[in-house]
Amino acid sequence: MSLVVLATGGTGGHIYPAVATARALMARGHRALLLGQRGGMEERVAAEQGLDFRGVEAGKLARSGQGRADPRELLRAGAGVIQARSLLAQLRPGVVVGFGGFASLPGVLAAQALRIPTVLHEQNARLGLTQRLAVRGARAVGTAYPEVVGLDPRKGTLVGMPVREERLPRTEALARLGLQDGPLTIFVMGGSQGSLFLNNAVPDTLRNIFGGEGLVDHDLGVLTPRIDLDFGGAPTAPPPELGAGVQVIHSTGKRWMNDVAPRVRDLDWYHVSGYVDAVAAWSAADLAITRGGTGTLAEAAFHGVPLIMVPLPESAENHQWHNAMTVQRAGAGRVVEQQEVGRALGAAVLECAAAGTRIAMRTAAQKRSQPGAAERFADLVERHLTPAAATTT
């Protein structure tokens, strides 16, 4: 059977598509091994998923507009390539697959130096920095978007965004999360490691809307805001479900958990966790407040969850804004730019929570879903396996 090395790391947006692809390849009889930064998030995820992992040094490279790279990071990147080259020479994989991010670069460049076939996956609508460094030597690139700026279309193949294609019945998902069946459920997450900005902004916004009881104030069916949310017009009629209350599951990221939890301790309807079961959370959610990473947007589409997206302004080439605008144009969510959160987030939550709006957004989200992306990408990877490389113990 063939050994496929999947070079990945840094963030969940790079790691979880590699995990999904590994599962697809393993189901076909191949061995899969994740290669990333020693001690990085990818090492922990691989252990949790029962996947083989090897770690090397990795260094972050400065993107356009970020100034010069730290020389120490360049040294780490160079050391990582040397370590990866030694490892791959021993393993002799049939192909190395790169998922972008600085932690993937040592494995991909080392493979190309050893003339091992490489295949890349580009998840954004613009080719990322590490992929630009590796694309010339790659055999093929699987993409999540029909067109990718900076990529020769002759080298790209649209496969979609590999995600974990698992759903739970809503009642089971709610039970796993310790939530009630009945209230409108809002999932808040800022990516696999959390978002300090969302952690600071969202709890107060939702408290102001829903109060201590997790309800919207009603006066003959008309919304009475607890504070001036600057809606710019007449009060908005609430969705009927809000009379039964709301509940929030907020994934803060482990390092921010102890900062957020005390601020919502008095809110029985606001549940905070450093890390949540993503399949359960997406399966339970009626609405989500997120950043604009492609992995997050793909998971939301798979589960048909409407989104309120606050793109990370510092994302490379502002790719999160472009990603989020694609979702908004499809009718599956609303974009609130970070500098507008204080003024506009509350209004966006109330708009998207309304039953009619939410149902329409859910339908639009489901239309954006690309099920089978991991299988399609596995097909592409298999086409470039070196037959002679194939077996290992």
Side-chain angles (χ1 to χ4, degrees):
M1 57 185 165
S2 300
L3 171 64
V4 179
V5 171
L6 302 107
T8 187
T11 68
H14 297 298
I15 299 166
Y16 289 109
V19 170
T21 305
R23 295 284 184 217
L25 290 164
M26 291 167 68
R28 302 179 185 201
H30 302 294
R31 280 192 60 210
L33 180 148
L34 266 58
L35 173 62
Q37 183 180 26
R38 187 180 298 116
M41 176 185 174
E42 53 270 30
E43 184 169 1
R44 172 179 62 79
V45 171
E48 291 172 352
Q49 297 290 325
L51 297 172
D52 289 339
F53 175 83
R54 299 290 186 277
V56 298
E57 294 293 319
K60 294 184 179 180
L61 305 179
R63 300 187 182 99
S64 176
Q66 292 183 331
R68 294 182 177 180
D70 184 336
R72 293 169 296 183
E73 296 294 329
L74 293 175
L75 288 173
R76 291 189 188 101
V81 173
I82 294 171
Q83 294 164 10
R85 180 168 179 159
S86 175
L87 177 65
L88 294 176
Q90 297 174 30
L91 294 175
R92 297 189 303 113
V95 65
V96 172
V97 186
F99 287 85
F102 71 93
S104 74
L105 194 59
V108 174
L109 293 184
Q112 292 177 351
L114 293 167
R115 299 187 182 278
I116 297 170
T118 55
V119 175
L120 308 180
H121 185 272
E122 177 52 59
Q123 61 181 252
N124 295 307
R126 180 182 295 270
L127 201 63
L129 173 60
T130 56
Q131 304 294 57
R132 293 200 299 270
L133 294 173
V135 69
R136 173 179 269 186
R139 299 279 184 89
V141 182
T143 67
Y145 291 88
E147 297 181 4
V148 177
V149 176
L151 176 65
D152 184 341
R154 294 171 296 181
K155 187 168 272 191
T157 299
L158 178 63
V159 297
M161 184 68 173
V163 297
R164 187 175 173 183
E165 295 187 3
E166 296 180 32
R167 295 187 183 93
L168 293 174
R170 178 179 170 81
T171 53
E172 181 181 342
L174 291 167
R176 281 196 190 185
L177 297 168
L179 302 178
Q180 300 177 48
D181 191 0
L184 185 83
T185 301
I186 302 175
F187 178 30
V188 182
M189 61 94 71
S192 57
Q193 300 181 65
S195 162
L196 178 60
F197 180 85
L198 294 185
N199 289 345
N200 288 334
V202 173
D204 290 342
T205 297
L206 298 186
R207 180 193 292 271
N208 289 333
I209 297 171
F210 302 124
E213 303 82 18
L215 298 168
V216 171
D217 282 342
H218 291 74
D219 181 7
L220 299 178
V222 176
L223 176 71
T224 304
R226 295 176 180 270
I227 63 169
D228 180 8
L229 294 175
D230 190 17
F231 290 173
T236 305
E241 297 96 316
L242 293 181
V246 298
Q247 59 190 350
V248 175
I249 179 68
H250 185 149
S251 179
T252 63
K254 290 185 177 180
R255 61 178 167 167
W256 311 118
M257 168 72 177
N258 292 334
D259 295 326
V260 179
R263 294 168 47 209
V264 297
R265 188 171 290 136
D266 62 316
L267 303 178
D268 292 340
W269 51 273
Y270 205 114
H271 305 268
V272 172
S273 177
Y275 179 79
V276 300
D277 179 337
V279 171
W282 285 115
S283 297
D286 298 302
L287 177 67
I289 302 172
T290 70
R291 287 298 200 178
T294 300
T296 297
L297 307 189
E299 286 190 303
F302 177 76
H303 290 274
V305 177
L307 293 176
I308 298 169
M309 299 156 288
V310 184
L312 178 68
E314 299 84 7
S315 62
E317 285 88 27
N318 205 22
H319 71 264
Q320 286 204 7
W321 183 84
H322 292 286
N323 295 343
M325 288 303 297
T326 299
V327 175
Q328 178 168 285
R329 285 192 291 268
R334 294 288 182 270
V335 175
V336 178
E337 297 198 42
Q338 185 161 298
Q339 67 269 25
E340 297 294 322
V341 160
R343 182 187 67 83
L345 182 59
V349 170
L350 290 172
E351 176 196 2
C352 297
T357 302
R358 184 159 41 84
I359 291 169
M361 285 184 167
R362 181 178 181 85
T363 300
Q366 291 169 334
K367 289 180 180 178
R368 290 192 67 253
S369 181
Q370 299 173 311
E375 295 294 337
R376 289 190 293 274
F377 190 44
D379 290 341
L380 182 63
V381 170
E382 283 190 319
R383 290 203 290 271
H384 296 280
L385 273 166
T386 300
T391 58
T392 186
T393 58

